[in-house]
Amino acid sequence: MSLHELSAAIHDAISGAGTDDDKLISTICPLANSEVAEIAADYKAQYGVDLRDEIKGETGGAYEALLCAVVQPKAYFLAKTLREALKGVGSDDEIIIAILCTADNEMLDEIKEQYSTKYRRSLEEDLQSDYHGKLQRLFTMIVQARRDDEHAPVDASAVDADVEAFYQAAKGLGSDKKRPLCAC
């Protein structure tokens, strides 16, 4: 299907009396995030309304939340999720770790930009105000988005040597503080 045909299929699924959930799901969910972004832009150009707003008006509950997440740009969604994990008393460490540790440098830069634009705050500063010590230092280093090139070839023998060093350093009840687990 072309971009216009996909937009029309989505419009047909959410227009009129009731929503054709099967058609909506089968049209949106198989698409890559970049394709959904193109469709959202085309939808707004064709119908004059934001696709996310249309979905919010036609769905509800967890179903609405899921579809809205699918049609949002990935960096926007992750920035929003990080803000929700950081606000209030205490932070949701697991969510923050999952997002920051799995995003590549390019995505981290996009997340920081979205976070700053949406909340008029710095992600790095918010992390620094919520965390202290080693975790704060690690998060600060990660959000700098200066990791080695993820696409560089992997030296399997170096990986094996690092795994053995990590194993030896962590053996026993504690760790061998003389042998660092990472070069942070």
Side-chain angles (χ1 to χ4, degrees):
M1 280 187 160
S2 73
L3 193 63
H4 292 305
E5 290 171 329
L6 289 168
S7 293
I10 293 168
H11 185 71
D12 289 344
I14 58 180
S15 295
T19 300
D20 184 343
D21 294 320
D22 291 335
K23 187 173 188 175
L24 186 59
I25 291 168
S26 66
T27 305
I28 292 177
C29 292
L31 302 172
N33 193 261
S34 59
E35 293 171 312
V36 174
E38 291 176 13
I39 289 167
D42 184 72
Y43 192 92
K44 188 164 192 166
Q46 279 195 59
Y47 302 104
V49 291
D50 185 74
L51 177 57
R52 185 172 172 269
D53 292 341
E54 287 279 278
I55 289 171
K56 284 182 84 156
E58 295 294 326
T59 60
Y63 178 57
E64 172 191 323
L66 175 65
L67 287 174
C68 285
V70 169
V71 299
Q72 290 176 356
K74 184 176 181 178
Y76 177 89
F77 175 75
L78 293 175
K80 183 178 169 193
T81 303
L82 281 168
R83 180 68 190 135
E84 290 170 4
L86 282 165
K87 71 180 181 183
V89 178
S91 298
D92 192 330
D93 301 342
E94 289 182 17
I95 288 176
I96 295 166
I97 291 167
I99 292 172
L100 295 181
C101 291
T102 59
D104 63 17
N105 292 340
E106 184 179 344
M107 181 55 63
L108 285 168
D109 286 337
E110 290 177 36
I111 291 168
K112 290 187 301 185
E113 183 180 324
Q114 290 288 334
Y115 192 94
S116 175
T117 300
K118 180 165 178 58
Y119 302 108
R120 304 207 186 286
R121 306 168 64 94
S122 161
L123 175 59
E124 185 175 339
E125 289 173 8
D126 282 356
L127 287 164
Q128 288 175 348
S129 71
D130 268 27
Y131 290 96
H132 304 289
K134 293 176 185 175
L135 196 53
Q136 178 195 51
R137 184 173 164 215
L138 181 60
F139 284 157
T140 300
M141 290 174 72
I142 290 171
V143 297
Q144 292 298 310
R146 294 187 187 145
R147 294 185 215 168
D148 288 341
D149 183 8
E150 293 98 6
H151 306 291
V154 175
D155 180 354
S157 62
V159 171
D160 290 340
D162 287 346
V163 168
E164 180 61 28
F166 292 161
Y167 173 76
Q168 293 299 326
K171 227 164 57 169
L173 297 175
S175 65
D176 180 350
K177 296 196 188 279
K178 295 177 193 146
R179 196 177 295 179
L181 289 176
C182 69
C184 299

